[in-house]
Amino acid sequence: MRRIFRYLEPTFFAGLIEDPCLVVRDRPIHRSIMLDCGSLHHLAKRELKPVRAIFVSHAHMDHFMGFDVFVRQVHASPRTVELFGPPGFAQRVAARLSGYDWNLTEPYWCTFLVHEVHPQQLVSFEFPGPEGFPCRRLGERPREGSVIYRCNHLEVAAELFDHGIPVLSFRVSEAKLFSVDEDKMAALGLVPGDWLRELKRYFSADWRTDRPLWVLRRQGEVEVEEPVASAAALYHSIRKEWEPSGIGYLTDIGFTEENREAAIRFLSGVTLLVGECAFLSEDRHKARTSLHLCTDDVNELLEVLRPRFFLPMHLSKTYLGRSSELYAELVPPQGTTILHLPEHVAPRPLFACEVPLYRI
């Protein structure tokens, strides 16, 4: 896919009917986050090493089974990896980690920091590797809006949906960017200088400062320093306009009125929507019974959300060899492009006859 983000680089490491895994790379710092980890056995180690946070929609095995592969690759690295999941998620992580023996731990092993996303608060737990990954509750803190994670050039928001169990949808956005327009500065007589670095510090602190800002302004042939009444107002008058981009991730929700309204409210304005489309329209009843989406549901959401790009995923395996029917039934609104996936991207499983036999 051609580059549509300034800093984000999304890669979907699954085929249309395979277990989902979306990796979003923060390009300038070569770090990544992961959304769901259904199947990871086919990912190169260098794709897993940069991952600093994993966001799991829910703990059904097709969305969480690959966590063991991730642990295998990174557990002996000196780092802290954060995990986010719905209520009860820490117990699921504890069950996975306690299923192995950790009698040969080292002091430099990684630590997992797990956050359960509840409607009003985040509840955090620690799993320190040097001690064999025991589960320790750290406490809870109130949620301030929908954003649950910020790091460098990206932030992640989360919203709870109903799938018979709580399920999380995620929205990955490029963090706010400090950027000034030289033409706007020149029109106001402003001269570049150290004050721009100070203005950027105010910007990064959300303008929470009492210190005055002194700017350099040209008056005729002379450059003079003068204070400004509001650093925030000055920045808004000289900032470079840019359209923020975001990635929506929506999977495993029933098409109820509550879920529909929440999805429209939460995902409105995303540039790329990665969303499940589990059933064709002929099997709408199966979608309702299993609390998934069918193509009719997806078309209705696309008509309202109108993302620039839509990547369908998580098609039921009962449609093996019929993926063309899915794309035929998706009718995007004007301005939305459907991105196509092959049914499989992971290597084909081996048969016994393909493995060399060594006889002694």
Side-chain angles (χ1 to χ4, degrees), residues 160-359:
L160 284 162
F161 289 81
D162 178 45
H163 182 52
I165 58 174
V167 170
L168 289 172
S169 173
F170 302 106
R171 179 172 182 149
V172 185
S173 303
E174 292 184 313
K176 61 181 182 177
L177 170 71
F178 179 86
S179 183
V180 298
D181 189 314
E182 293 181 359
D183 292 336
K184 291 181 179 180
M185 288 179 54
L188 295 174
L190 295 170
V191 180
D194 290 342
W195 66 271
L196 281 173
R197 281 192 288 272
E198 190 73 5
L199 181 64
K200 185 175 183 179
R201 283 193 285 270
Y202 291 5
F203 170 85
S204 299
D206 289 327
W207 314 110
R208 294 189 298 269
T209 179
D210 297 327
R211 295 168 55 188
L213 177 70
W214 289 78
V215 302
L216 198 60
R217 195 184 300 271
R218 186 179 301 280
Q219 295 182 0
E221 299 297 323
V222 182
E223 295 177 358
V224 297
E225 276 192 312
E226 61 180 48
V228 296
S230 170
L234 173 65
Y235 174 70
H236 287 297
S237 68
I238 63 174
R239 68 179 178 180
K240 182 178 292 185
E241 299 296 333
W242 65 287
E243 182 180 350
S245 300
I247 302 168
Y249 184 87
L250 182 69
T251 188
D252 288 48
I253 69 168
F255 200 61
T256 63
E257 187 61 29
E258 293 80 6
N259 280 345
R260 178 186 178 277
E261 292 179 359
I264 292 171
R265 181 176 62 253
F266 180 60
L267 298 171
S268 178
V270 297
T271 308
L272 166 65
L273 177 60
V274 180
E276 78 146 48
C277 194
F279 293 95
L280 302 180
S281 60
E282 67 186 42
D283 292 322
R284 180 189 181 100
H285 63 288
K286 293 183 180 179
R288 295 295 177 267
T289 302
S290 61
L291 300 178
H292 281 281
L293 301 179
C294 69
T295 50
D296 291 340
D297 307 326
V298 172
N299 284 332
E300 183 174 334
L301 287 174
L302 291 179
E303 184 63 36
V304 180
L305 293 174
R306 295 179 175 263
R308 285 177 57 192
F309 299 94
F310 174 63
L311 180 68
M313 60 149 184
H314 210 21
L315 180 65
S316 170
K317 291 179 173 58
T318 60
Y319 300 112
L320 180 64
R322 299 175 58 190
S323 58
S324 60
E325 297 178 44
L326 168 76
Y327 295 110
E329 290 189 5
L330 291 177
V331 185
Q334 185 175 5
T336 296
T337 299
I338 302 293
L339 303 176
H340 289 234
L341 286 172
E343 290 189 351
H344 297 279
V345 298
R348 177 179 61 78
L350 291 175
F351 293 100
C353 62
E354 298 173 306
V355 179
L357 300 178
Y358 296 95
R359 295 181 174 87

